[in-house]
Structure formats: structure tokens, C-alpha cells
Amino acid sequence: MARFKFYALWLCLICIIVFVIQILIPAFTDLILLNQDAISNFQIWRFLTAIFAHGGLVHLLYNIFALALFGSMLEKFIGGRKFLLVFFASGILANLVAVNFYSSSLGASGAIYGILGALVVLKPLMMVWAFGFPMPMFIAGVLWVVAGIFGVFVPVDNTGYIAHLSGIAVGFLFGIVYRTILGRKRQVQQ
């Protein structure tokens, strides 16, 4: 098995550094944020850079906590390269969807929800603490999806629920692919 490289923690550090730059240079956020200006000016890098920008300290803290915890779990299970693929593909695809529904998008939530989606498929019975209770990962996944759907139809703040749902859908697909690959490897070994 590949050596654990702490990629989730490195990604958290990047988010923290970007946030410090956002605080020190407020105009920096406008350069990396995903919005309609980025689309009309063909600034495609913002689909990536927006993942590392955050709208405030609480937003950052929630995301780095989830990324450090669940990202490290997923990386340990599938390896660093596959983890990075899930993270970036989920984040970028969530942004591709979100930009069609919101005036702007920023944050690692779409990528993190991709990690959660992959874990739901790969480790459905793993116990996690979610919504104030310990529960199997698949139940937490169902609750995250239900909360996301509810948030789309009854928004209470500026949370990008559509990005969350897009990210978790991408993560589910990665989880299915990786679970299939792992199943085949086990059959070959027998």
C-alpha cells in the first residue's frame, strides 16, 4: 500500500494560507473567486482556485476540520493520488454546477462532500459523529443529502447546497469505481 502523505492536511494548510492572504489583501478574493465575470473572461483557473478561498473564519474552520478528518480517512483507505483525484474532481465539478445557480462560489465544501460521498460507498458502516450523534457513514450520507436537498428548496443562508449535492454525487461515483476496483483485486488475489 502507498505511503500516507498527509495530503488532506497539506490541503488544509493551503486553505489557511489563502485565507490569510484574503484577509491581508481583500482584493485577492476577487481574483480567485468563481463568478460570472470569471466565466465571461474565460478565467477557467477559478474553478480550481475558488476551492481554496473561504468566505469567513467559521467557513474555513468547518471546512478544514472536515477535510482533515474525513480526507485523512479516505487517503488512508485509497491512497494519496486517488484521494487527490476525488478532492479536485469533486471540487471542480461542484463549481461547474454551482456557477449556473449562484452569483459566486468559493470554498472547499464541494470537494469535501466528494470525499464524504466516496467514504459513504467505500466504508458505509464506519462510525462517524454527525449531526450530534454517532452513526454509520451511510446514514450520515443520507442525512447530508437530505439536508442539502432541503437547503436548496428552503435556503437559510448563502450556503452552496447545490455545490454540496454535486460534490457528494461525484464522490459517490468515485466510491463506486474504487469499490469495484478493490473488489476485482480481492477476487484476483483469491
Side-chain angles (χ1 to χ4, degrees), residues 9-10 12 15 21 47-48 63 77 115 128 148 171 181 186 188:
L9 299 180
W10 286 109
C12 288
C15 289
I21 295 170
F47 286 99
L48 174 66
N63 278 348
F77 187 61
I115 292 166
V128 296
I181 291 168
R186 287 184 187 130
V188 169

Side-chain angles (χ1 to χ4, degrees), residues 35-46:
N35 58 21
Q36 293 303 319
D37 290 341
I39 304 303
S40 61
N41 294 324
F42 201 65
Q43 297 171 342
I44 58 173
W45 65 84
R46 291 189 191 208

Side-chain angles (χ1 to χ4, degrees), residues 93 108 113 139 176:
L93 290 171
Y113 271 77
I139 291 175
I176 291 166

